[in-house]
Amino acid sequence: MDPSRVHIPPMKDLTIANITPNTILINSQGPSPRLTYVLERLVSHLHDFARETRLSTSEWHTGIEFLTAVGQTCTPVRQEFILLSDILGLSLLVDSIDHPKPPGSTEGSVLGPFHSHEAEDMQHGDAVSHDPHGEPCLVVCRVTDVHGAPVAGVKVDVWETDSSGHYDVQYAEREGPDGRCVLRSDADGAFWFRAIKPVPYPIPHDGPVGRLLEKLHRHPYRPAHMHFMFEKEGWDHLITWVFAVPLSGVEDRALYLRGDPYETSDAVFGVKQSLVVDLHTADEETSKRYGVEKGSLVLRHDFVLVTSEAARELRDDRSREALAALGRKVKLLDGLPVPDVD
C-alpha cells in the first residue's frame, strides 16, 4: 500500500519487552475489527511461544524450512497443511468451536485431506466403489432433526478408501472418481448405497508431516471409517465419519474395541464413541429389499442434524462463556469475537 495513504506510528529501538505491543499496534490500522482481533491474539501467542521456549535462531530456521516443505508438498489433490492441522489437533478443535452440537445430535469431525469435488451424483442403491477386492457392504442411513422428523433433500457427500487403504486421488493413473459419491436424502430422510467394508490405513507419511510424526514417535494410522458430509440450506453444516467395528457374534463389547487396533490412537484425533458403529449382516428381508446377498455386510446409521439458527445460538453462547472465562473484553460481530472498544 502507498505509504502516504496509511498512518504508521513511530517505531524504533524495539526490544523483547516492547516488540509485542508495537507489532499489535501497527497491525491495528485496518478497517476490519475481526482481522485486528485475530492478528492481535496470533501475535501475542506467537511471541509468548518464542519467549516461553526461548526459541533459538536455528530452531526458528528449522521451523521455517518445515513450513516451506509442507507448502511445497501440497498439490491439487494433496493438502499437506490440512494434514498438519489434523495431526496437531487444530482441525478438530476448530470444527468443535464453529459447529457445536447439542445433545442428541450427530457429533462432527474433521474434513481430512482427501475430500474432492469430483464426486458424481448417484441414485440410491448405486455402487460407490468399484474395487473388486473390497468386501461388499450395504450402507443404509437416515437423516433427521433432533426431534426425529425426517430431513429431505439433504446433499450427502460420501467418500472412503479402497480395500488397500488408499483414496482414489492418491493414484496418479486414475481415470476418474471412485469410492466417493453425492446423494440426496428422500422424503423419509433416507439414503442408501453399496460400498465396501472400510479398512484401517495410514495418512500420507512420506512428506514433512510424516517425518514429524516419526520424530514424535507417533504412528500415522487411522481406524477403519467412512466419511459423510451433509449440506442443506437452513441446517448447520456437518462433517462426520462412522467408525466400523465388525460384529463377532459375541456380546462382549470389549471384542468390538479389538476389532480395530487404532480406535484409541487415531493419528488425527477423530474417534468419538458416538460415531463408532457395528457392522451387521444382511438377513433375508434386507437381502430382498435392497438386492444384496444374504449374509453380506450392512452398515446402518441415523444422522441427526441441527438447524443453522440453533447452532448459531449455541455457538454464540459458548463463545461468550469461553471469552468471559478468559477475561477478554470483546463483543460478537456476525458470530465472531472482535474488540469491544465502545
Side-chain angles (χ1 to χ4, degrees), residues 64-78:
I64 295 296
E65 289 181 333
F66 173 74
L67 292 176
T68 300
V70 170
Q72 291 171 338
T73 306
C74 294
T75 71
V77 295
R78 175 170 175 172

Side-chain angles (χ1 to χ4, degrees), residues 6-254:
V6 297
H7 171 70
I8 304 296
M11 294 184 186
K12 59 189 303 184
D13 299 325
L14 300 180
T15 66
I16 292 176
N18 65 13
I19 181 62
T20 301
N22 277 282
T23 303
I24 291 173
L25 177 63
I26 199 172
N27 286 339
S28 302
Q29 313 299 309
S32 169
R34 176 61 179 173
L35 181 60
T36 296
Y37 181 68
V38 169
L39 264 294
E40 177 214 332
R41 302 316 305 150
L42 175 62
V43 168
S44 295
H45 289 299
L46 196 60
H47 286 200
D48 284 344
F49 164 77
R51 293 188 184 95
E52 291 169 8
T53 61
R54 309 308 296 175
L55 194 67
S56 69
T57 302
S58 63
E59 289 172 325
W60 171 84
H61 195 268
T62 298
I64 295 296
E65 289 181 333
F66 173 74
L67 292 176
T68 300
V70 170
Q72 291 171 338
T73 306
C74 294
T75 71
V77 295
R78 175 170 175 172
Q79 238 301 350
E80 193 79 356
F81 268 112
I82 290 182
L83 202 61
L84 176 61
S85 175
D86 289 347
I87 67 105
L88 293 177
L90 180 61
S91 300
L92 185 67
L93 178 61
V94 171
D95 181 76
S96 299
I97 291 171
D98 201 35
H99 297 281
K101 306 300 181 187
S105 61
T106 299
E107 294 185 275
S109 199
V110 300
L111 177 67
F114 292 114
H115 175 258
S116 168
H117 295 287
E118 298 175 309
E120 299 174 346
D121 283 5
M122 292 188 178
Q123 302 299 314
H124 295 168
D126 283 351
V128 171
S129 175
H130 299 91
D131 179 1
H133 305 294
E135 184 174 358
C137 179
L138 171 69
V139 181
V140 181
C141 301
R142 192 164 179 259
V143 188
T144 73
D145 64 15
V146 293
H147 304 293
V151 183
V154 178
K155 178 185 176 184
V156 186
D157 207 330
V158 180
W159 63 106
E160 68 167 337
T161 70
D162 61 16
S163 58
S164 71
H166 293 86
Y167 289 95
D168 56 352
V169 295
Q170 293 180 273
Y171 293 105
E173 71 280 4
R174 71 191 181 100
E175 297 179 355
D178 193 28
R180 62 182 74 239
C181 72
V182 174
L183 304 121
R184 283 167 176 78
S185 59
D186 65 17
D188 193 40
F191 64 94
W192 63 281
F193 57 93
R194 302 166 192 264
I196 60 173
K197 176 186 173 182
V199 297
Y201 66 89
I203 60 175
H205 55 287
D206 58 344
V209 171
R211 292 192 288 273
L212 176 60
L213 287 177
E214 188 172 356
K215 286 181 178 294
L216 297 174
H217 284 202
R218 288 175 54 185
H219 71 69
Y221 279 86
R222 307 223 48 224
H225 64 277
M226 188 177 294
H227 293 262
F228 293 83
M229 183 164 63
F230 299 83
E231 295 178 272
K232 184 179 181 179
E233 186 175 354
W235 298 85
D236 191 47
H237 190 79
L238 174 64
I239 300 171
T240 194
W241 311 322
V242 292
F243 295 84
V245 181
L247 274 175
S248 64
V250 182
E251 289 303 316
D252 185 353
R253 285 284 177 177

